[in-house]
């Protein structure tokens, strides 16, 4: 019998029981389900982002409706109502206007959002985010110069948004702020401040456009890159499939190297008596 054949008969893969290979095998067995779960998680993220993008698309494509058809005092704006274009007829109340601190524009410049109560014909109040202004005042405690909105009765249009909370936005609702400055756009908070019936949520104004482009109107909501999550899911699953393939390749290579080394040693041992 040839020495190589004889070695296979003696169990060339017994090295798999060594400590090194047992640890390597356990790591591989742990990596496979972990990578599969990571792929499933990324696929869930892909589905969530795709659904959100579709909601945004549907909301922006929907025809404008009167704001009171979608919200009322105490109402919580739902995900299906978010970004819907609404209209309202009334007048701006600049005396109770506030600014929202630490907000950025499209160029990531820090400034304020202008939040102006809009009194409807029936007396209820709609919060209108009129857009962004720079924080170019003498100090952070001074109320900035805010361009005036149209006077008299006017019809506004904007995207309906839910009230901001610390839990959802991560923005701390700081106390002791300078007069007429807030951290969050929250309809319940503003209802207490104004002592009025305030519609739930607020709108990001889209029309009429301000004179002189100030305040700077907020841009359309961006869409999340769902395709990236899909690619990550496929990547994790390919990695999980590559682990057992890699394990087999490594095991076969080591078995081959061990066999060749043992065969060489056996051939040398057989040649030594002939030389004597």
């Amino acid at each position: 019998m040839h020495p190589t054949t004889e070695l296979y008969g003696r169990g060339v893969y017994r090295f798999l029981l060594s400590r090194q290979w047992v640890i390597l095998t356990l790591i591989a067995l742990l990596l496979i389900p972990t990578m599969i779960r990571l792929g499933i998680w990324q696929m869930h993220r892909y589905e969530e982002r795709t659904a959100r993008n579709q909601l945004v698309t549907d909301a922006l494509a929907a025809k404008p409706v009167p704001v009171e058809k979608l919200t009322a005092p105490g109402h919580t704006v739902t995900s299906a109502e978010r970004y819907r274009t609404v209209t309202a007829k009334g007048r701006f109340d600049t005396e109770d206007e506030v600014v929202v601190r630490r907000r950025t524009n499209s160029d990531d410049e820090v400034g304020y959002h202008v939040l102006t109560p809009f009194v409807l014909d029936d007396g209820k109040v709609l919060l209108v985010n009129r857009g962004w202004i720079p924080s170019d005042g003498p100090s952070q405690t001074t109320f900035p110069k805010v361009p005036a909105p149209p006077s008299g009765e006017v019809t506004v249009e904007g995207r309906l948004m839910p009230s901001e909370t610390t839990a959802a936005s991560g923005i701390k609702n700081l106390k002791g702020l300078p007069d007429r400055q807030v951290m969050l756009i929250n309809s319940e908070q503003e209802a207490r401040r104004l002592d009025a019936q305030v519609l739930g949520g607020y709108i990001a104004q889209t029309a009429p456009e301000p004179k002189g482009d100030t305040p700077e109107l907020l841009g359309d909501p961006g869409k999340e890159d769902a395709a990236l999550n899909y690619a990550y899911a496929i990547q994790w699953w390919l990695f999980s499939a590559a682990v057992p393939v890699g394990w087999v390749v490594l095991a076969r290579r080591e078995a081959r190297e061990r066999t060749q080394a043992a065969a060489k040693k056996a051939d040398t041992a057989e040649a030594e008596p002939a030389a004597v």
Side-chain angles (χ1 to χ4, degrees):
M1 182 181 291
H2 192 274
T4 303
T5 304
E6 186 178 356
L7 284 169
Y8 269 99
R10 293 175 183 175
V12 70
Y13 285 99
R14 288 181 61 84
F15 68 86
L16 294 176
L17 299 177
S18 66
R19 180 180 179 184
Q20 176 184 355
W21 271 92
V22 168
I23 293 174
L24 183 62
T25 302
L26 289 175
I27 292 174
L29 292 174
L30 180 63
L31 284 176
I32 292 171
T34 300
M35 290 178 176
I36 291 174
R37 287 180 64 87
L38 285 171
I40 293 173
W41 177 74
Q42 287 289 354
M43 188 58 70
H44 286 163
R45 289 286 294 154
Y46 163 74
E47 292 170 353
E48 289 171 359
R49 287 186 165 187
T50 299
R52 180 187 178 279
N53 289 344
Q54 190 59 51
L55 281 174
V56 172
T57 299
D58 293 344
L60 295 179
K63 293 182 179 179
V65 297
V67 67
E68 290 188 275
K69 282 192 174 183
L70 295 182
T71 186
H75 176 73
T76 299
V77 176
T78 66
S79 58
E81 297 163 343
R82 187 176 187 177
Y83 301 123
R84 284 289 305 273
T85 300
V86 295
T87 61
K89 186 177 180 182
R91 58 178 180 80
F92 283 104
D93 175 15
T94 55
E95 291 185 2
D96 289 315
E97 188 172 66
V98 296
V99 291
V100 191
R101 293 167 60 94
R102 301 178 186 174
R103 299 303 169 107
T104 57
N105 66 355
S106 57
D107 296 323
D108 288 331
E109 297 173 319
V110 179
Y112 303 97
H113 280 178
V114 180
L115 186 65
T116 309
F118 189 77
V119 183
L120 306 178
D121 290 342
D122 61 5
K124 297 185 181 71
V125 174
L126 169 67
L127 299 178
V128 178
N129 184 342
R130 296 204 287 125
W132 181 89
I133 60 172
S135 54
D136 54 3
S139 71
Q140 290 287 325
T141 59
T142 303
F143 190 78
K145 184 178 180 181
V146 180
S151 59
E153 191 170 69
V154 62
T155 298
V156 296
E157 188 173 288
R159 296 185 297 273
L160 184 61
M161 302 293 293
S163 290
E164 297 178 344
T165 63
T166 297
S169 66
I171 301 172
K172 292 183 179 180
N173 196 13
L174 302 177
K175 305 298 182 182
L177 295 176
D179 187 38
R180 300 178 67 188
Q181 295 191 25
V182 298
M183 295 298 300
L184 297 170
I185 305 176
N186 186 282
S187 55
E188 291 184 4
Q189 179 177 296
E190 290 302 298
R192 291 191 295 270
R193 182 179 72 88
L194 298 171
D195 191 23
Q197 285 189 303
V198 177
L199 303 185
Y202 68 98
I203 68 167
Q205 182 178 336
T206 56
E209 295 186 3
K211 295 180 180 179
D213 297 327
T214 305
E216 179 183 320
L217 296 181
L218 306 184
D220 288 341
K223 293 188 177 182
E224 298 182 8
D225 191 356
L228 190 61
N229 293 101
Y230 186 86
Y232 285 154
I234 299 300
Q235 187 180 61
W236 280 119
W237 289 336
L238 289 176
F239 285 161
S240 69
V243 169
V245 173
W247 185 92
V248 170
V249 170
L250 288 175
R252 288 174 64 89
R253 185 174 68 181
E254 181 151 345
R256 183 171 61 252
E257 291 175 352
R258 285 172 176 265
T259 299
Q260 291 173 351
K264 185 176 181 180
K265 183 177 180 181
D267 291 340
T268 302
E270 287 181 0
E272 285 179 354
V276 173

